[in-house]
Amino acid sequence: MTEVLKGAHFPTVRAWVEGWVISRNAPRPVPEPWGLRVDVGLPGHVARHIVAAPTPQTLRRLTSTLHTPGTWLKLCAPAESVAPLLTPGWAVQDPEFMMTAPLTRDPAPIPDGYHLAVTTRAGVTAVRLLTGAGEVAARGQFALARSTAVVDQVETAADHRRRGLGTVVMRTIAATAASRGARTGVLVATAQGQALYSTLGWTLHTPVTAAVLTAGDT
């Protein structure tokens, strides 16, 4: 029964979680019958429960036993299928999208006026595009979970958008990860990010619905 609850998405979801905790310097994930738990321990983000195959039974169990505000659910399903099953107090967040892509060693040319910096520390490789003055114009990072590169925290500074810098960062991440033995990339994107990553060959693996418990039982 445990494997049924984890579902077909579980191997990819597990790789994403294992890389995410390295990227965010969070505790190792703990296996649960429904998926994985990460005890993040931050204000407003006490813990997260990642469910690869949310069922009504699983959600009833979680929402009846989790009572600490700042607890998060990451559910691999669209909001319309899981939000009605959540009890009052759970705030559903903007839609997210887990995406995957095969990795190739094909870095993008760097636009004039920028230079590239790639550094690795504590298992996290950061890719940054810097201006001549040393300002970070765009950035992203990844951590490896076996043969999967988990991409995280990709962003472009407001004054440097619409110049293709996000594409340079993503292609550099892919090329660097591939050179270190990764074959597949995985990330969780916002709707805006999904539009960019789709143009770079990333495809939807599963919708993700995030919900946070904003108030405990009274």
Side-chain angles (χ1 to χ4, degrees):
M1 182 174 181
T2 296
E3 292 303 318
V4 173
L5 289 177
K6 288 180 177 179
H9 294 308
F10 187 68
T12 299
V13 172
R14 179 178 59 192
W16 172 67
V17 175
E18 290 175 352
W20 185 90
V21 299
I22 297 171
S23 178
R24 302 297 179 98
N25 192 28
R28 290 181 60 83
V30 178
E32 296 282 7
W34 55 84
L36 296 165
R37 185 187 83 243
V38 179
D39 296 317
V40 182
L42 296 175
H45 198 162
V46 176
R48 58 169 48 194
H49 297 259
I50 303 94
V51 186
T55 64
Q57 295 81 4
T58 300
L59 293 182
R60 281 196 297 267
R61 177 179 179 182
L62 287 170
T63 57
S64 66
T65 57
L66 301 176
H67 306 292
T68 304
T71 299
W72 285 76
L73 299 176
K74 290 282 189 172
L75 309 173
C76 294
E80 57 266 25
S81 67
V82 292
L85 303 174
L86 301 177
T87 54
W90 290 94
V92 175
Q93 307 299 295
D94 291 338
E96 297 178 338
F97 307 89
M98 183 172 291
M99 305 182 75
T100 60
L103 300 180
T104 60
R105 303 187 191 188
D106 184 27
I110 301 169
D112 292 341
Y114 300 94
H115 63 276
L116 186 67
V118 180
T119 58
T120 301
R121 182 178 181 182
V124 180
T125 298
V127 172
R128 295 176 297 158
L129 275 174
L130 306 174
T131 66
E135 174 190 7
V136 178
R139 69 173 309 277
Q141 62 191 48
F142 73 88
L144 294 180
R146 295 177 295 278
S147 62
T148 300
V150 180
V151 182
D152 190 27
Q153 295 189 328
V154 178
E155 57 185 350
T156 301
D159 292 344
H160 299 273
R161 292 175 183 165
R162 301 185 183 280
R163 302 180 189 179
L165 303 189
T167 295
V168 175
V169 167
M170 288 297 297
R171 287 177 59 180
T172 302
I173 286 175
T176 305
S179 73
R180 298 179 184 179
R183 297 191 298 271
T184 304
V186 62
L187 56 80
V188 172
T190 63
Q192 182 178 7
Q194 184 190 27
L196 167 64
Y197 305 139
S198 295
T199 67
L200 300 176
W202 291 71
T203 58
L204 178 66
H205 182 70
T206 177
V208 177
T209 298
V212 58
L213 187 60
T214 58
D217 292 344
T218 57

